Amino acid sequence: MALCSSVGALALPSELIVHIFSFLSDRDKLRASAVCSRWRECLFYPALWTELKLRVGGGTNGGGSGSEQTPRLEFLMRKFGSFVRELQLEFAPVDGYLSPLQHGMEAVESDPQFAKDAMVTYLDQVLCVLGSLRNNRNLQKLSLYGDTCILQDDGILDSSYLSQVDQGGKKMKEIQQLYDEILSNSRQMKWLSSAFMLGVVTPCSLASLSNPSTSSLEHLSLIDNQLPSLISTVELERLAHLQSLSLDFCDFTSDMCRLLACGDRAPLHRLSLLLNGAALDAKPLDGTAAEDDWKALVRRSTNLRVYIMAMDVCSQDLLRVLKPSVPVERIHLDSYSTLVTDGVVELISQQYHKTLSHFILMRDDAGFPDLSVNRNEDPLVLLAWRCVHLAVLIIHGYTVWSHNLVAISRLRGSNLKVLEVSEESIDFDPDQSVYIEGDPVHNLVKEVSLGLGRVWHPSMDNSVVLNEPTQHFHQMRIGGNDVFGTQIPLVFLNLEVDVPLLVKPIVEVFSLVYDTCMLTALQHNIWAQP
C-alpha cells in the first residue's frame, strides 16, 4: 500500500484519530499521550473521557503517596471535570492501615504525624475533585468511596485528626458546600454514591438535589455511619424512580419501607443494607422495618433482592435482623471479635434457600471455631444442599473439615462459581485420614476439583480472601455485571515513561486501523486523481 506509506498516519483527520483512540483503555490513552503533541491533543478530546475511574492514595499499592498524587489528580480534573459524565473515585486505604481486620492501629498511635498528613491529603484531594465538578451539568454518575476505618473509633480518618488539621472546620465546610452545589447544579444524575467519605455528606445534602435529578436518579448509596441518618423518608419521597438503594440498616425504618412499597413509585430492584455492630449502641435496631413492612415491599417489588453485610454483629442481633420475608440474595458476615453461631447459618439456609446466591463468612481473631461441633450435620453442608441458587461461597476464620468441603463441592458442582476457603481454615479428620492413602491435601484438591468440574486450590494468600470487606458491598452487581470497571491508579499520569516500550502495541493497533481506513478509501475511490 504505497499510498499509506506516503500519506502517513499523522495525515489522518483528527476526528478519525480520535475515533481510533476510542478503542483504547484509559490506561493506554494516558500512555499514548506521551508519544507526541498531536496524539496528546487528540487523546484529550472530551469525547474520549466521558467516564473516569480513578484510585488514589494507598502508598505503594496506589502508586506513590497520596500527596504525590495530588498534582496528577488536579491535572485530570482540570482537563475533564467540567464535562465528564461518569466519575468514580476511590481513596485507597493507606498502606499498613487497610482496616483493623488485618492491621492494628498501633502504628498510628506511634506516628500521629503520619495520620495528620493522611488527613490533609484526603481533604485536599476531595476539594480538588468536587471543585472541578461544581459546574458540571452533564454529570450522570458520581461515586466516591473512602476508607472504612471511619467505622472504627480509632481509625485514621476520624474526627480527632480532622479537628487538628482543619481547625474551625473551614475545609470540611467548603467540601460540604461543594458537594451540595454539585447536586443542585446537576440535571440528569442517575447514580449517586458516597461511601465512607468522612464528613462529605450531611443529613441536609440530599435536599440540595435538583428537581430534574430527583426524577432521573435510579441509584442512591449514602453510607458513613453518621447520626442522624443521611437519607430521610421525606427526601426519599422525592426519588420516585429509584431502583437501587444502599444505606445503614438502622436507618431503614418502617416508614421508609412503607414508602418504597407505594404503588405510585417505581419498583425497587436492589436494596443493600450495612449493619455495623460497633454502632448499635448509638443506633439501635428499634424502629427498623418490621415483618409486615417487608411483606408489603416484596408484594410491590416482586424482583427485589436484598444484600446484607454485617460487620462485627453478635448472633443475637443477627437473629433479629434476618426476617423470613426479606428476599436476601447475598449475606456477608464479617467479624473481628464476635462469633457467628451455627444457629445463624442454619437459619439462613432454611429461610433463604430460594433466593441466596452469595454467602461470605469471615472472621479474624484467635482460633478457628467449628460450626459443626455437637451437630450431626455441618451447617455449611446444609447451606450448600438447601440453597439451590448458591453460586459464591467464601470462608475464612472458621474450621472447615476436608470431608465437608468435598461434600459441598459435590452438592453444588459447577453451579458453585466461586469457592474460596483459606488454607488455614481447612482441617483434616484424623480418623478418616487413616483410610486415605497419600498426601491428604493433594487428595482434597483432587476430590474438590472433581466435584466442581474444574481445577480448585485452597486460598494460600489470605489477602485474596481478607480484602477490604466493604468493597463487595460498594461494588454491587446489577443485571449480572459489575457497575464499575477498571480504575486508573494516578501513577500512570507520570509521563516520564519508556515510550517505545509502552506505545508499541498501541502503534500496532493504530496501524491496523489506519490501513483498514485507507483500503476502504481506495475501494470507494475517495482520493482518486481527477
Side-chain angles (χ1 to χ4, degrees):
M1 301 221 9
L3 184 60
C4 294
S5 59
S6 62
V7 174
L10 294 182
L12 289 175
S14 297
E15 291 80 2
L16 186 55
I17 297 178
V18 170
H19 177 69
I20 294 172
F21 283 142
S22 67
F23 295 97
L24 297 179
S25 66
D26 290 342
R27 293 189 181 190
D28 286 340
K29 290 174 189 174
L30 293 176
R31 288 167 170 167
S33 66
V35 174
C36 64
S37 58
R38 178 75 188 285
W39 279 30
R40 186 178 181 86
E41 178 185 356
C42 293
L43 280 161
F44 288 141
Y45 190 73
L48 294 178
W49 297 94
T50 57
E51 301 179 18
L52 200 57
K53 302 176 179 68
L54 302 175
R55 190 174 193 265
V56 298
T60 56
N61 291 335
S65 66
S67 58
E68 293 174 352
Q69 295 175 358
T70 301
R72 301 168 184 169
L73 181 64
E74 290 174 348
F75 169 79
L76 269 186
M77 297 311 301
R78 185 171 62 253
K79 283 283 186 180
F80 315 124
S82 60
F83 59 80
V84 67
R85 293 183 180 180
E86 299 183 7
L87 173 66
Q88 178 202 344
L89 181 62
E90 176 188 338
F91 292 86
V94 182
D95 277 356
Y97 310 98
L98 177 61
S99 71
L101 183 65
Q102 297 183 35
H103 306 277
M105 303 304 296
E106 295 83 359
V108 177
E109 296 174 357
S110 62
D111 189 8
Q113 185 60 42
F114 180 84
K116 293 179 182 178
D117 293 341
M119 178 60 75
V120 170
T121 302
Y122 169 83
L123 292 174
D124 291 341
Q125 291 176 342
V126 174
L127 279 171
C128 167
V129 172
L130 298 186
S132 302
L133 297 173
R134 64 191 306 175
N135 296 319
N136 188 336
R137 293 176 178 265
N138 297 319
L139 191 63
Q140 298 180 9
K141 179 176 178 180
L142 176 61
S143 177
L144 305 176
Y145 183 80
D147 191 342
T148 54
C149 283
I150 69 170
L151 294 177
Q152 308 299 320
D153 294 334
D154 55 356
I156 293 180
L157 301 179
D158 65 9
S159 56
S160 60
Y161 292 113
L162 179 61
S163 60
Q164 294 179 40
V165 302
D166 185 25
Q167 296 182 357
K170 182 178 179 180
K171 285 188 175 181
M172 187 54 66
K173 291 178 181 177
E174 184 179 356
I175 288 174
Q176 294 170 354
Q177 182 179 358
L178 286 172
Y179 190 83
D180 293 349
E181 284 186 34
I182 293 173
L183 298 188
S184 62
N185 291 332
S186 65
R187 291 296 178 266
Q188 46 187 334
M189 187 77 73
K190 294 182 178 180
W191 182 289
L192 180 61
S193 175
S194 178
F196 315 111
M197 298 291 294
L198 181 65
V200 172
V201 186
T202 68
C204 301
S205 295
L206 205 55
S208 303
L209 191 65
S210 65
N211 289 329
S213 288
T214 59
S215 301
S216 61
L217 194 66
E218 297 177 355
H219 170 84
L220 177 63
S221 175
L222 298 180
I223 303 170
D224 73 350
N225 207 38
Q226 281 193 23
L227 284 173
S229 170
L230 296 178
I231 305 176
S232 67
T233 305
V234 175
E235 296 303 331
L236 192 63
E237 188 174 2
R238 302 171 61 206
L239 311 177
H241 297 91
L242 204 63
Q243 299 180 18
S244 176
L245 177 64
S246 302
L247 72 166
D248 193 290
F249 191 99
C250 296
D251 296 335
F252 191 65
T253 62
S254 293
D255 291 340
M256 188 176 295
C257 189
R258 288 194 291 266
L259 172 65
L260 294 172
C262 292
D264 57 347
R265 299 179 57 89
L268 197 64
H269 293 165
R270 173 77 65 180
L271 178 61
S272 299
L273 301 170
L274 176 65
L275 182 60
N276 181 19
L280 286 181
D281 290 337
K283 302 176 72 173
L285 293 172
D286 301 334
T288 56
E291 180 71 10
D292 292 338
D293 302 323
W294 279 106
K295 289 181 179 178
L297 178 59
V298 172
R299 283 195 299 268
R300 169 57 183 160
S301 304
T302 55
N303 294 322
L304 176 65
R305 290 296 178 262
V306 177
Y307 180 9
I308 295 178
M309 179 174 182
M311 299 181 64
D312 226 17
V313 180
C314 67
S315 294
Q316 183 178 358
D317 289 328
L318 284 175
L319 294 175
R320 294 180 58 190
V321 166
L322 300 174
K323 295 178 171 60
S325 57
V326 181
V328 176
E329 183 183 64
R330 303 184 182 193
I331 295 182
H332 185 150
L333 306 178
D334 202 307
S335 61
Y336 315 128
S337 58
T338 59
L339 176 66
V340 175
T341 63
D342 59 316
V344 171
V345 180
E346 176 75 12
L347 179 68
I348 291 172
S349 66
Q350 290 181 351
Q351 290 188 166
Y352 310 124
H353 62 279
K354 293 183 179 180
T355 58
L356 189 68
S357 64
H358 291 57
F359 184 73
I360 302 172
L361 181 63
M362 299 200 298
R363 182 174 181 267
D364 190 60
D365 199 9
F368 288 77
D370 184 6
L371 295 176
S372 63
V373 66
N374 300 323
R375 292 179 61 96
N376 294 327
E377 298 291 342
D378 182 81
L380 293 175
V381 175
L382 291 176
L383 182 85
W385 174 56
R386 290 170 176 158
C387 298
V388 294
H389 297 293
L390 187 67
V392 174
L393 180 61
I394 301 176
I395 307 293
H396 171 76
Y398 293 84
T399 297
V400 181
W401 293 100
S402 59
H403 57 277
N404 289 330
L405 194 55
V406 173
I408 291 173
S409 67
R410 292 175 178 175
L411 284 168
R412 300 302 308 149
S414 60
N415 293 322
L416 191 59
K417 304 301 181 183
V418 176
L419 177 60
E420 291 286 347
V421 182
S422 59
E423 184 187 33
E424 56 186 337
S425 299
I426 301 174
D427 205 351
F428 296 87
D429 189 344
D431 296 334
Q432 293 190 2
S433 61
V434 175
Y435 306 100
I436 301 177
E437 298 180 359
D439 181 21
V441 176
H442 176 76
N443 290 329
L444 173 65
V445 171
K446 178 182 178 181
E447 292 296 328
V448 175
S449 298
L450 287 174
L452 296 175
R454 64 179 185 274
V455 177
W456 176 88
H457 292 282
S459 299
M460 308 293 289
D461 184 5
N462 287 342
S463 63
V464 176
V465 179
L466 289 173
N467 56 359
E468 254 293 73
T470 51
Q471 284 287 357
H472 296 286
F473 187 84
H474 179 65
Q475 297 181 349
M476 297 185 304
R477 296 171 65 89
I478 296 180
N481 298 314
D482 287 315
V483 296
F484 300 130
T486 305
Q487 300 159 329
I488 313 173
L490 291 187
V491 68
F492 287 104
L493 284 180
N494 184 359
L495 300 182
E496 297 177 2
V497 295
D498 187 350
V499 173
L501 178 63
L502 293 175
V503 175
K504 181 179 179 181
I506 302 174
V507 173
E508 292 175 353
V509 174
F510 192 100
S511 299
L512 178 61
V513 178
Y514 169 77
D515 289 343
T516 303
C517 293
M518 295 297 295
L519 179 60
T520 303
L522 286 175
Q523 290 173 345
H524 290 81
N525 204 26
I526 294 178
W527 287 306
Q529 295 294 329

